[in-house]
Amino acid sequence: MKTFETLPFECETGNYHTFRPISCVAWLYQKIEDSFFLVVGTKTCGYFLQNALGVTIFAEPRYAMAELEEGDISAQLNDQEELKRICLQIKRDRNPSVIIWIGTCTTEIIKMDLEGIAPKLEDELGVPIVVARANGLDYAFTQGEDTVLAAMTHRCPEYNASGQGQKQYNKSVDGSGTAPLETERSTLEKRESRNPILVLFGSLPSTVASQLNLESKRQSIIVAGWLPSQRYTELPPLGEGVYVCGVNPFLSRTATTLMRRRKCQLIGAPFPIGPDGTRAWIEKICSAFGVEPQGLQDRENQIWKSLIDYTRILTGKSIFFMGDNLLEISIARFLIRCGMIVYEIGIPYMDKRYQAAELSFLHNTCEKMGIPMPRVVEKPDNYNQIQRMHEPEPDLAITGMAHANPLEARGIDTKWSVEFTFAQIHGFTNARDVLELVTRPLRRNNDLGTMGWNNLSKQTLTN
Amino acid sequence: MKLAYWMYAGPAHIGTLRVASSFGNVHAIMHAPLGDDHFNVMRSMLERERDFTPVTASIVDRHVLARGSQEKVINNINRKDEEQHPDLIVLTPTCTSSILQEDLQNFADRASTYSTSDVILADVNHYRVNELQAADRTSEQIVRHYLYKARRHGTLDRSVTDTPSANIIGISTLGFHNQHDCRESKRLLQDLGILVNQVIPEGGSLKDLKDLPRAWFNIVPYRELGLMTAVLPEKEFGMPYIPIIPMGILDMAEFVAQMEKHINAWASISSGGKVDYESYIENQTKFVSQAAWFSRSIDCQNSVGKRAVVFGDATHAASITKILVREMGIRVSCSGTYCKHDAKWFNEQVQGLCDEVIITEDHTEVGDMIACTEPHAIFGTQMERHIGKRLDIPCGVISSPVHIQNFPLGYRPFLGYEGTNQVADLVYNSFTLGMEDHLLDVFGGHDTKEVITRSLSTGRDLIRTFESQLELKKIPGFVRGKIKKNTETFAKLNNITEITIDVMYAAKEKLGA
C-alpha cells in the first residue's frame, strides 16, 4: 500500500449541501435553558427551521423568527422600533435571561446594524442581547454555534486571579445546583492552590459535559466552567491565567476570541471523539497543567476492548465523507483507528491552526495503521464527489440527507452526517455511540444483504 | 417585522422548485446562499426519492455581495447543461436574490445562447407570493413557454384527439397524497373511456407540452396548483377546464356530470358519440364507494351532532367541510384555511355549512379557536395534530404541511371514489379513538400502569447518591428507565451498593446503554 508523506489538501467549488448555520439554535436553545433565540430573517429561514428541526417546533421552543417583510427590506420601517416591539413581546411572554439575535443573509445584505441596535435595546429592555451573525454567506452548519459562542465570550465575567473574580465564580456555581461540577468546597480549594483555571468551550448535552468533567477529575484537574453553561447567568469567568480547551472542531472563531479578546491560554488538542481522541485530549490538558496522566492507557484499552464487536464489522471497510459539519477530521481519524480506509474527507472549512493537533493526530494514525493518507477536500463539490464515488464505490458514505436516499438506491450505504451533530459522541463513554451510528447501515446489510435488490434506481451513479 | 414560530405555506422558491423538479428532465438552479438547498432534503426524505433532486445552487457568498455574481450564474447554468443535458433549466430566485436585485433575466438570456437546454427565469417575487402561488405561476410559465415556442415553430398541434381525452393538471412532488390522487384520477378517466392526454407537472415531458391542447378538456383537482395553467389554454384555445374538486360523493357526481357535458359538446366529431354517465355515477356511489352506505349505517349515527373543526389549504379544507356536513351529518363549528389569497372562493364554498369561517396564517389563532370551540375532532394539518395532542382532541390530517407519515406507501387517495372510502375511514377513526379515550377515562383508565413502573426498577436496596439522582434526571425521559435499570443490574453484578455518577457511566460503558 502506498503511503503519502503529508495529507493532501484540496479546495473545490463550494457547491455542496449543508444545513444553514442558523440551525445551531436547535441545540443551543436546549443547552442554554434561560435563553431565547430570535432569528432575524425571511420566510426562507423560518421554513428551514421548522422543517429541519422537525417536532421540536411543536414543543413551544424558545426560538422564533423575526420575519422580515417588504417594508423592512426597503427601510420603510425602522429596524430598532420593530425589534423593540418584538423583543418586548418575547420578554413579556417568556421572560428569558438573554435574547440572542441571529443575523442571517438578509440582515447582512441590507446591512441591518444589529450590533449597533443591541446595546441600545439592552438598556431599554433590561435584558442582555447577544448578536451572532450566523449567515449562509460566510458559514456552514455547525459554524453557527461558533459565531454564537464567540459572541457569548464577551459576556463572560472577568476572571481575577487575586480573588475578587474568584468570589464571583463561586457564587455563580453555587447558584446553579446542576453546575458542571457539583462543587464540594474542599476540592475547589484544593484546586485553587494547585491548578490554573480550566474552562472548556463547546456546547454538549449536560450528561456528556459531566462525563468529560469526570474524566478530567480523575486526573485531578477540575473543570471550572463551560462555555456555554447550562444557564446564561452562569457563564464562566474568563481572563488572563484561564486555560481554555475546545471540545469540538468547528469552534475556531470562539478559540480566537478567547485568546485575543479575553487573553485566555488555548490548549490545542485533538478532540475528545473516540477513545483515542479522548485520551489524547486529556493528555494534552494534563501536559499543559504539568500533571502526569494516570491510568489513561488502561482506560483506553478497556474501551477498545468493549468496542470489539463493532470494530470487527468496520475493519477493512472503506468510507467517504462528503462533508457538511466540520466533525469530519475527528470522526475519520477515529474510524481509521478502528481499521477503516478513508477515501476522502470533505469538509466545509478547514482551520489548520485550530485543528493542528487533530490533523497531526490523523497523520500519525494513518501511519500507525499503515493506510494511505485520505485527501482532505475543503469546500467540496457534491456533484464531483458523486462522480468520484463511482470509481472505488466506498462501503459507506457519510453524507447529508439530500444525498442519502439517492445513494442508497444506487447500492451505496450511507449514514446521515447530521446525526453526528445531535448524538452523544464525546468522551470514552460515548465511543460506542459513534460506532453504533457508523455500523448501523452495515449491520442492516447483514440482515438484508442477501435479498439481491441493492440497486433500486433506474439511474446509475453517474447521472 | 413579524414574530413567527411556524408557517403553513413555504417561501416562494419552494413552489418553483416543486414544479420544476416534478417535470421530467428539468433542472433548477437557485441563486442562493449556502444551505438554502434544504428543498433537496425535504424531497429526498419526505418523498423518499431514489434519484438526486435536480436542484443545485449557484452560491451567493461574500464575493458575490462585493462584486455581483458576474459570470458565476452563467457558468453554473452552462456547467449543468453539459453535465446532465436537461431539457430546461429554471433559474430560481430566492429571498436573497430578491434583495440583491441582480439582473437574473439577463443571466438567463445570456446562458441560453450557449446552452443546449432552454433557460428561463422563474417569474416569482419572494415578498409577494408564497409557495403555492409560486408553484401555480411557475407551472403556468413553463407551459406558456413551450406552447408559445411551439406556435412560433409551427409545431403546435391543435387538432383534438379522436376519442375523448383530458389533461390532469397540478400533480406535483411534495403535494399532499398527490401520487395516489393521480392514480385514482387516471383510473376514473379510464373507467369512463376517457384518454389521459397528459399529466403535468409530475412526470410531464416538456417535448410533449405542444400536444397539451389536443385534449378535450382539463382537470384541475387542486385549487392551489394548476388553475393558472388551465386558464391559459382556455383563453388561448377555448379549451374548457373543470374547476370542481373531485372529493366526496356529491362533488364526484357533479364532477363526472361536468365531464359528460364537455364530452357531449364535441359528440358530433367523436367516434363514440354522446355519453351518459348517470348509471356509472349511481353504481359507483352506491356500491363501489362505501361512503354512501357508511353514512346510512348505524355506526355513523353515533357521530351525528358531533362537532368538528376543519383547517387546511383551500382545496382540502373546503372539501372535507362539505363531506362532513353534507355526507356524514357532522357539525362543523369552524372551517378555515391559510390560503389567504383564495379567501373569496373558500368563503363561497363553505357558506352555510359551518358556524364560523377563519382565514389566517397564524397557527396560534387556529389553536385558540380550537381551544375555545372544544370540538370532538379536528381535521387539519400537522400543526393542528399537535394542537390536538396538547388539548387531548383527536385529529385527522387532511392537508399540507405534513410530516413523513403523511407520505404513505400504501394506496391512500383523497380524490375519486376510493378517496371517499379513505376519507370516511379517516373521519370515523378520529371520532372512535376519541370515544375510546373518553370511555377509558370514565372507567378509570388502564389499570396496568403501576405494575409496569414497578418492574422497571430491579433493586430497592441500592443507595443512589444525590449527584447520581440529579444526573439521572438530566437523561431524557424515554431512555431514563432503561438506563436506571441497566445501572442497577450492573451494580448488583458487581456487588456495588451505592450508585454514584461513576457507576452510572461505568455501566454505560460495560452494557452499552
Side-chain angles (χ1 to χ4, degrees):
Chain A
M1 241 181 229
K2 197 168 68 168
T3 344
F4 297 98
E5 289 280 287
T6 53
L7 282 165
F9 285 97
E10 282 171 40
C11 187
E12 276 189 309
T13 62
N15 221 321
Y16 61 99
H17 167 77
T18 180
F19 272 21
R20 305 167 130 236
I22 54 171
S23 51
C24 67
V25 305
W27 61 89
L28 286 176
Y29 94 82
Q30 290 178 33
K31 174 72 194 178
I32 310 169
E33 287 167 356
D34 52 353
S35 63
F36 192 97
F37 285 80
L38 183 69
V39 182
V40 188
T42 60
K43 248 180 163 18
T44 312
C45 308
Y47 198 63
F48 165 77
L49 278 183
Q50 81 180 36
N51 279 298
L53 307 192
V55 288
T56 63
I57 202 92
F58 300 107
E60 301 242 347
R62 290 186 319 280
Y63 65 81
M65 294 289 307
E67 193 183 310
L68 300 171
E69 292 167 305
E70 204 162 9
D72 298 301
I73 305 300
S74 51
Q76 284 163 354
L77 299 169
N78 180 303
D79 298 338
Q80 189 169 333
E81 288 306 310
E82 292 293 303
L83 282 166
K84 183 178 166 187
R85 186 172 51 79
I86 283 178
C87 289
L88 271 174
Q89 198 179 335
I90 293 168
K91 192 189 168 190
R92 197 185 58 222
D93 296 347
R94 307 293 184 96
N95 195 28
S97 310
V98 60
I99 298 177
I100 295 144
W101 288 353
I102 305 286
T104 61
C105 317
T106 315
T107 58
E108 278 313 295
I109 296 169
I110 64 173
K111 301 204 166 31
M112 192 184 281
D113 185 18
L114 294 177
E115 276 96 344
I117 300 172
K120 292 183 200 158
L121 285 192
E122 193 169 307
D123 287 345
E124 277 186 59
L125 296 164
V127 180
I129 295 173
V130 174
V131 180
R133 301 176 175 204
N135 62 70
L137 296 167
D138 302 303
Y139 306 110
F141 198 8
T142 49
Q143 286 180 292
E145 175 183 323
D146 194 20
T147 63
V148 173
L149 295 191
M152 203 93 81
T153 304
H154 298 287
R155 301 305 179 107
C156 295
E158 188 61 37
Y159 168 73
N160 190 335
S162 58
Q164 207 187 351
Q166 200 56 45
K167 214 187 273 166
Q168 199 180 357
Y169 158 67
N170 283 345
K171 207 176 86 201
S172 74
V173 169
D174 285 349
S176 70
T178 53
L181 262 197
E182 355 34 61
T183 45
E184 306 98 73
R185 213 153 267 286
S186 56
T187 32
L188 232 167
E189 277 153 20
K190 240 190 281 166
R191 174 189 49 71
E192 270 167 41
S193 55
R194 277 223 324 265
N195 287 327
I197 301 284
L198 173 65
V199 170
L200 300 179
F201 60 96
S203 161
L204 293 181
S206 58
T207 47
V208 182
S210 39
Q211 285 159 13
L212 290 183
N213 285 338
L214 210 61
E215 294 297 349
S216 60
K217 193 177 160 195
R218 287 198 175 123
Q219 307 301 332
S220 35
I221 294 168
I222 302 295
V223 178
W226 282 77
L227 175 71
S229 44
Q230 201 71 18
R231 303 179 67 83
Y232 175 75
T233 46
E234 292 158 10
L235 283 175
L238 297 174
E240 220 160 328
V242 173
Y243 281 76
V244 290
C245 187
V247 297
N248 268 323
F250 44 77
L251 298 171
S252 50
R253 274 177 76 90
T254 310
T256 316
T257 316
L258 284 166
M259 285 191 294
R260 293 196 185 148
R261 305 294 297 273
R262 302 307 302 265
K263 309 291 175 217
C264 298
Q265 186 90 32
L266 179 74
I267 305 173
F271 301 99
I273 293 169
D276 49 343
T278 309
R279 179 183 165 193
W281 182 73
I282 297 172
E283 278 176 349
K284 209 55 192 279
I285 293 173
C286 286
S287 80
F289 285 12
V291 174
E292 187 66 36
Q294 302 291 322
L296 268 183
Q297 172 86 59
D298 289 347
R299 187 144 166 71
E300 191 195 345
N301 292 344
Q302 210 179 359
I303 298 290
W304 281 118
K305 220 158 75 190
S306 71
L307 298 178
I308 201 143
D309 51 338
Y310 281 162
T311 47
R312 211 174 274 152
I313 301 176
L314 294 177
T315 305
K317 295 269 184 353
S318 58
I319 189 166
F320 192 109
F321 287 84
M322 286 185 78
D324 78 341
N325 60 14
L326 283 93
L327 293 170
E328 290 87 3
I329 300 280
S330 310
I331 294 175
R333 176 261 302 151
F334 172 33
L335 294 180
I336 290 172
R337 180 65 182 71
C338 290
M340 293 191 89
I341 297 154
V342 179
Y343 288 140
E344 177 167 326
I345 306 177
I347 186 167
Y349 168 73
M350 179 76 246
D351 186 333
K352 285 187 196 165
R353 275 196 299 178
Y354 176 62
Q355 293 223 43
E358 182 64 80
L359 281 171
S360 82
F361 194 29
L362 169 69
H363 187 270
N364 294 343
T365 306
C366 287
E367 277 182 348
K368 186 174 162 196
M369 301 301 290
I371 69 152
M373 302 287 161
R375 47 199 265 160
V376 178
V377 181
E378 207 179 345
K379 294 175 85 177
D381 183 301
N382 280 164
Y383 184 84
N384 294 346
Q385 284 184 312
I386 287 163
Q387 309 303 309
R388 285 201 291 273
M389 224 181 271
H390 188 48
E391 191 35 55
E393 285 223 11
D395 293 308
L396 189 66
I398 307 283
T399 174
M401 289 195 266
H403 296 106
N405 268 339
L407 285 173
E408 289 280 354
R410 283 155 187 76
I412 291 186
D413 291 318
T414 59
K415 186 77 230 140
W416 311 331
S417 49
V418 184
E419 284 196 68
F420 294 101
T421 335
F422 294 107
Q424 307 193 345
I425 60 170
H426 294 76
F428 287 123
T429 319
N430 298 306
R432 199 174 172 81
D433 293 37
V434 182
L435 297 191
E436 160 73 28
L437 286 180
V438 176
T439 55
R440 196 175 295 161
L442 301 169
R443 282 179 288 134
R444 176 209 51 194
N445 282 3
N446 292 342
D447 302 333
L448 301 181
T450 52
M451 289 194 286
W453 50 59
N454 286 334
N455 205 327
L456 290 162
S457 170
K458 288 172 182 167
Q459 295 181 356
T460 60
L461 202 54
T462 41
N463 59 19
Chain B
M1 248 179 244
K2 201 170 79 183
L3 185 63
Y5 294 89
W6 163 268
M7 65 188 84
Y8 284 102
H13 70 270
I14 298 286
T16 298
L17 298 180
R18 273 178 57 187
V19 168
S21 56
S22 292
F23 274 114
N25 207 24
V26 172
H27 200 100
I29 293 186
M30 303 167 68
H31 189 240
L34 192 67
D36 263 15
D37 55 354
H38 193 71
F39 175 78
N40 299 28
V41 175
M42 288 170 56
R43 190 158 183 268
S44 167
M45 297 305 292
L46 297 178
E47 291 265 35
R48 302 183 190 87
E49 257 301 325
R50 297 164 194 231
D51 293 327
F52 292 104
T53 303
V55 173
T56 42
S58 174
I59 305 272
V60 175
D61 56 15
R62 283 280 160 196
H63 296 291
V64 171
L65 277 200
R67 305 174 300 131
S69 291
Q70 295 184 338
E71 299 299 307
K72 195 170 184 181
V73 176
I74 297 168
N75 290 343
N76 277 320
I77 293 174
N78 289 332
R79 178 183 159 191
K80 203 38 74 181
D81 175 46
E82 280 165 31
E83 281 168 355
Q84 288 176 299
H85 316 293
D87 295 329
L88 171 69
I89 291 176
V90 180
L91 183 56
T92 309
T94 58
C95 59
T96 311
S97 55
S98 288
I99 319 169
L100 287 177
Q101 299 195 332
E102 283 193 274
D103 191 356
L104 293 179
Q105 186 61 57
N106 175 39
F107 293 153
D109 292 343
R110 279 170 58 201
S112 65
T113 56
Y114 295 105
S115 71
T116 51
S117 322
D118 293 323
V119 184
I120 62 171
L121 170 68
D123 177 26
V124 290
N125 180 327
H126 181 90
Y127 293 94
R128 303 268 166 90
V129 296
N130 67 21
E131 168 189 352
L132 302 170
Q133 293 161 294
D136 206 10
R137 271 163 185 267
T138 306
S139 160
E140 195 255 5
Q141 194 188 356
I142 292 176
V143 170
R144 180 159 33 96
H145 181 86
Y146 282 94
L147 289 184
Y148 285 10
K149 189 179 171 191
R151 184 149 67 188
R152 275 200 310 277
H153 293 203
T155 52
L156 192 63
D157 194 345
R158 290 178 60 182
S159 59
V160 292
T161 52
D162 295 341
T163 48
S165 62
N167 297 317
I168 303 173
I169 299 177
I171 307 291
S172 90
T173 186
L174 292 173
F176 183 72
H177 291 241
N178 271 202
Q179 306 299 335
H180 313 292
D181 284 350
C182 179
R183 213 170 112 193
E184 185 65 20
S185 309
K186 283 181 180 169
R187 201 166 83 172
L188 175 74
L189 294 177
Q190 197 185 5
D191 275 0
L192 298 171
I194 304 169
L195 280 179
V196 179
N197 186 47
Q198 278 177 35
V199 180
I200 55 168
E202 184 64 45
S205 157
L206 299 179
K207 295 193 181 86
D208 298 338
L209 282 182
K210 63 177 180 7
D211 295 331
L212 205 66
R214 295 202 68 199
W216 291 25
F217 56 90
N218 287 322
I219 294 172
V220 190
Y222 311 113
R223 290 286 300 176
E224 288 75 23
L225 173 46
L227 265 189
M228 281 179 82
T229 319
V231 169
L232 173 81
E234 191 194 32
K235 277 200 187 133
E236 297 274 327
F237 316 110
M239 188 180 176
Y241 70 92
I242 302 176
I244 294 163
I245 296 154
M247 208 183 295
I249 301 172
L250 294 175
D251 279 354
M252 273 306 291
E254 172 91 24
F255 181 81
V256 177
Q258 287 260 334
M259 294 204 285
E260 182 186 287
K261 194 186 86 191
H262 289 308
I263 290 170
N264 288 344
W266 285 89
S268 52
I269 65 134
S270 160
S271 47
K274 285 205 176 214
V275 292
D276 182 0
Y277 292 149
E278 201 150 324
S279 60
Y280 175 81
I281 295 173
E282 192 178 323
N283 186 50
Q284 291 285 318
T285 306
K286 283 188 176 168
F287 304 110
V288 174
S289 163
Q290 303 292 323
W293 158 236
F294 173 72
S295 51
R296 291 290 308 178
S297 71
I298 48 166
D299 263 342
C300 216
Q301 273 179 22
N302 280 342
S303 44
V304 169
K306 288 261 163 56
R307 281 175 298 111
V309 160
V310 182
F311 195 83
D313 62 13
T315 304
H316 290 87
S319 298
I320 296 292
T321 305
K322 287 185 193 171
I323 294 173
L324 290 175
V325 176
R326 301 191 303 189
E327 299 176 16
M328 292 180 173
I330 289 161
R331 192 169 141 206
V332 174
S333 315
C334 183
S335 172
T337 180
Y338 55 85
C339 295
K340 274 183 155 170
H341 60 277
D342 212 11
K344 191 166 156 265
W345 179 85
F346 186 79
N347 271 313
E348 281 166 14
Q349 294 297 306
V350 299
Q351 204 172 35
L353 297 179
C354 55
D355 305 345
E356 194 191 336
V357 178
I358 180 172
I359 291 172
T360 180
E361 290 174 323
D362 181 355
H363 75 276
T364 52
E365 216 175 297
V366 180
D368 290 347
M369 177 271 288
I370 293 173
C372 287
T373 46
E374 290 182 345
H376 295 100
I378 309 166
F379 298 95
T381 72
Q382 201 56 234
M383 181 42 98
E384 282 69 49
R385 195 170 76 86
H386 283 270
I387 294 171
K389 263 190 189 166
R390 216 179 302 155
L391 299 173
D392 253 340
I393 303 171
C395 177
V397 176
I398 53 136
S399 155
S400 289
V402 290
H403 282 329
I404 192 157
Q405 70 264 38
N406 292 105
F407 289 89
L409 302 175
Y411 189 49
R412 299 273 164 73
F414 269 62
L415 303 185
Y417 286 106
E418 177 55 29
T420 60
N421 293 337
Q422 298 290 341
V423 172
D425 273 346
L426 182 76
V427 172
Y428 180 67
N429 287 343
S430 304
F431 279 114
T432 40
L433 284 180
M435 199 59 178
E436 230 170 65
D437 249 19
H438 176 69
L439 286 179
L440 277 173
D441 263 3
V442 170
F443 294 113
H446 291 285
D447 57 356
T448 46
K449 251 176 209 153
E450 212 179 330
V451 185
I452 293 169
T453 6
R454 199 176 295 148
S455 68
L456 275 179
S457 184
T458 50
R460 298 202 166 271
D461 45 347
L462 292 165
I463 305 159
R464 285 187 166 271
T465 63
F466 178 64
E467 288 82 9
S468 79
Q469 280 176 25
L470 273 184
E471 194 68 15
L472 194 65
K473 281 198 188 118
K474 288 191 231 160
I475 292 161
F478 61 96
V479 285
R480 199 181 297 147
K482 187 182 166 205
I483 287 181
K484 186 165 178 247
K485 199 174 157 192
N486 275 346
T487 314
E488 285 164 6
T489 316
F490 173 79
K492 277 198 166 166
L493 284 174
N494 293 282
N495 291 327
I496 297 168
T497 50
E498 192 191 46
I499 294 180
T500 60
I501 301 185
D502 286 85
V503 175
M504 275 176 73
Y505 291 124
K508 182 169 193 251
E509 284 156 26
K510 277 274 152 40
L511 301 174

